[in-house]
Amino acid sequence: MIKMNVLILSAMMLFGACDTDNPIDKPVQPDPDPVTTVELSIVDKKSTDQTKALYSQLWAIQSKGFMFGHHDDLFYGRKWFNVPGGSDTKDVCGDYPAVFSVDFAEIMDDRSLASNSNDIRRRCIIEARERGEVITACCHLNNPLTGGDSWDNSNINVVKEILKDGSQTNIKFKVWLDRLAKFALDLKDSKGNQIPVIFRPFHEHTQTWSWWGQMCTTEKEFIDLWRFTVTYLRDVKRVHQFIYAISPQMDVPKTKDDFLFRWPGDDYVDFIGMDCYHGLNPSTFSTNLKSIAAISKEKMKPCGVTETGVEAFTDKDFWTKQILTPATGRFVSLIVTWRNKYDPQEEGTHYFSVFKGHPSESDFIKFYNSPISFFSKDLPDMYIQAENVVVK
């Protein structure tokens, strides 16, 4: 089912006869408004054409509505795992999300040596791209110093060691980036084009839970880590298909200054994201959407909600009340809900989006049918340059 936005046009009617031979009596047509071209700056000046085109479309779509996304939607769902074409979203509304979110950590860290999931990730990314959808990737990286997981914030020296050239941790982290670069450079569509990805490393850096968060790093260390990662991938490994996104966690009402906490610099960030787990509090979501949209316009960088949702929600009107209403009139390109864990016996409650049999199914259809929510079939060609948007 393809939704169509209906534009209502009104026209002025001219009454009364006029002498067509007298130019003074002819109605004067006003000059059309001049077309304003927007110019955006991208971190990687050698970005592929499709990457620049996607970047332009991320900006353009913000004035029309937002793309709906779901983490790992094509990888697994509440009751299925690794089924080509599978999607909890599609099971409910008949359409795929416009944005496929995925985690790159197992591609990068030492889990990659034994992981049997990276081929599935590749397949899902290619499937999404072939339908014209947008791909975004986070990284729940293990701790390269201690060997713990992302949540191991027991050692405040991990980033210091990453940044110490020649240290064991520095060498290990470069190997991790090398693996990511190889995966990305080999990631191609059916025409042989490298697939663009909105890449958001070190997400939720405003929190204390991670080894890259504010408990373990100074402001300078975090900024240096971000810049080191971008520079290494872009200039050393020559990965030119990444749009670099930052995503602070904003669960309560925040100001512009909160969003710019430990900002790496305009030359190192393409996309302004936020992870917003605001609970059943749409006013908080609305406030933060307003703030992020203001920063987007000020910095001339597209923005969006890179993670959101309520774990184990059962509200029948969740989608229209908690997502659609706060997002109406806001200038954001995407809203991505977190994952539905594979749980075929439904023994747990780790899910953040709709699935077949959920109480919010009917409301999700209303959400889907809204002219401002974009799903896969609603998308323009996201890989062709948007009209009147220039990316440099």
Side-chain angles (χ1 to χ4, degrees):
M1 173 171 54
I2 301 177
K3 299 177 293 183
M4 299 184 66
N5 296 330
V6 180
L7 302 179
I8 302 175
L9 303 178
S10 60
M12 298 287 292
M13 301 297 295
L14 297 176
F15 296 94
C18 62
D19 183 356
T20 56
D21 294 329
N22 186 348
I24 296 177
D25 293 332
K26 292 180 180 179
V28 178
Q29 299 296 326
D31 293 332
D33 293 334
V35 175
T36 301
T37 298
V38 174
E39 185 173 302
L40 306 178
S41 178
I42 197 167
V43 168
D44 187 352
K45 305 307 179 187
K46 296 181 180 179
S47 292
T48 67
D49 290 343
Q50 288 195 356
T51 303
K52 289 181 178 179
L54 174 60
Y55 195 56
S56 73
Q57 293 287 356
L58 291 172
W59 179 267
I61 207 166
Q62 294 187 160
S63 62
K64 303 169 187 175
F66 62 88
M67 297 180 288
F68 172 77
H70 185 207
H71 185 75
D72 277 350
D73 186 87
L74 311 178
F75 191 157
Y76 52 81
R78 184 78 168 145
K79 302 176 183 179
W80 59 274
F81 187 90
N82 187 23
V83 177
S87 164
D88 277 354
T89 304
K90 184 175 184 290
D91 286 346
V92 173
C93 70
D95 198 358
Y96 291 99
V99 180
F100 173 59
S101 170
V102 67
D103 198 315
F104 276 173
E106 285 191 19
I107 293 166
M108 299 172 63
D109 64 30
D110 292 342
R111 288 172 290 178
S112 67
L113 303 176
S115 175
N116 57 3
S117 297
N118 288 332
D119 287 342
I120 303 174
R121 290 186 174 91
R122 183 187 303 276
R123 173 184 62 76
C124 293
I125 291 169
I126 293 172
E127 279 185 12
R129 174 61 188 93
E130 291 302 310
R131 287 191 296 266
E133 295 152 18
V134 175
I135 295 93
T136 181
C138 64
C139 297
H140 284 90
L141 284 171
N142 283 345
N143 188 317
L145 178 63
T146 67
D149 60 20
S150 297
W151 293 265
D152 180 4
N153 56 13
S154 61
N155 192 312
I156 64 172
N157 295 314
V158 56
V159 173
K160 287 186 180 71
E161 290 299 313
I162 289 174
L163 296 172
K164 187 183 296 183
D165 191 43
S167 73
Q168 288 186 340
T169 309
N170 170 263
I171 293 169
K172 175 183 282 191
F173 194 72
K174 285 180 179 177
V175 169
W176 291 5
L177 293 177
D178 291 344
R179 289 175 184 153
L180 173 60
K182 184 178 188 310
F183 181 88
L185 293 172
D186 290 343
L187 194 62
K188 298 179 180 180
D189 63 22
S190 59
K191 297 180 180 179
N193 298 307
Q194 290 170 340
I195 297 175
V197 176
I198 304 171
F199 180 54
R200 55 183 192 101
F202 315 122
H203 68 295
E204 300 176 6
H205 64 285
T206 48
Q207 301 300 312
T208 60
W209 62 263
S210 62
W211 56 259
W212 59 82
Q214 61 173 317
M215 178 179 287
C216 295
T217 62
T218 65
E219 179 180 18
K220 184 178 186 304
E221 286 168 351
F222 176 79
I223 291 173
D224 287 348
L225 175 66
W226 181 280
R227 293 181 176 183
F228 168 80
T229 300
V230 171
T231 301
Y232 189 83
L233 290 170
R234 180 191 63 192
D235 301 342
V236 178
K237 304 307 296 185
R238 299 179 182 178
V239 175
H240 299 308
Q241 71 220 70
F242 281 174
I243 292 168
Y244 293 94
I246 197 164
S247 53
Q249 188 165 353
M250 300 290 157
D251 297 346
V252 297
K254 296 291 186 177
T255 66
K256 184 175 75 171
D257 289 341
D258 294 319
F259 278 91
L260 299 179
F261 178 77
R262 298 187 170 187
W263 181 254
D266 290 2
D267 292 338
Y268 287 88
V269 177
D270 290 314
F271 186 93
I272 306 166
M274 71 168 173
D275 293 6
C276 192
Y277 291 101
H278 54 283
L280 299 175
N281 192 346
S283 63
T284 294
F285 197 41
S286 179
T287 296
N288 288 344
L289 287 171
K290 182 177 180 180
S291 295
I292 199 173
I295 301 169
S296 172
K297 291 179 179 179
E298 178 182 309
K299 290 190 172 292
M300 297 299 292
K301 298 178 184 292
C303 70
V305 183
T306 41
E307 290 183 31
T308 193
V310 176
E311 187 175 19
F313 73 100
T314 57
D315 302 60
K316 292 182 178 181
D317 60 355
F318 177 84
W319 300 100
T320 53
K321 183 178 181 180
Q322 301 293 336
I323 305 294
L324 186 62
T325 298
T328 299
R330 301 304 184 202
F331 192 73
V332 297
S333 67
L334 54 84
I335 297 177
V336 179
T337 55
W338 194 238
R339 68 176 189 154
N340 291 348
K341 182 180 179 180
Y342 174 56
D343 185 11
Q345 303 304 317
E346 298 187 81
E347 296 170 339
T349 55
H350 189 75
Y351 63 83
F352 291 80
S353 192
V354 75
F355 53 87
K356 202 69 178 172
H358 189 272
S360 71
E361 272 191 273
S362 295
D363 194 58
F364 190 79
I365 297 297
K366 294 179 184 177
F367 174 76
Y368 171 75
N369 285 327
S370 168
I372 67 168
S373 66
F374 287 75
F375 286 69
S376 180
K377 293 178 182 177
D378 304 319
L379 290 175
D381 191 330
M382 298 296 289
Y383 299 92
I384 291 179
Q385 197 79 21
E387 188 175 2
N388 302 323
V389 181
V390 175
V391 176
K392 294 184 176 180

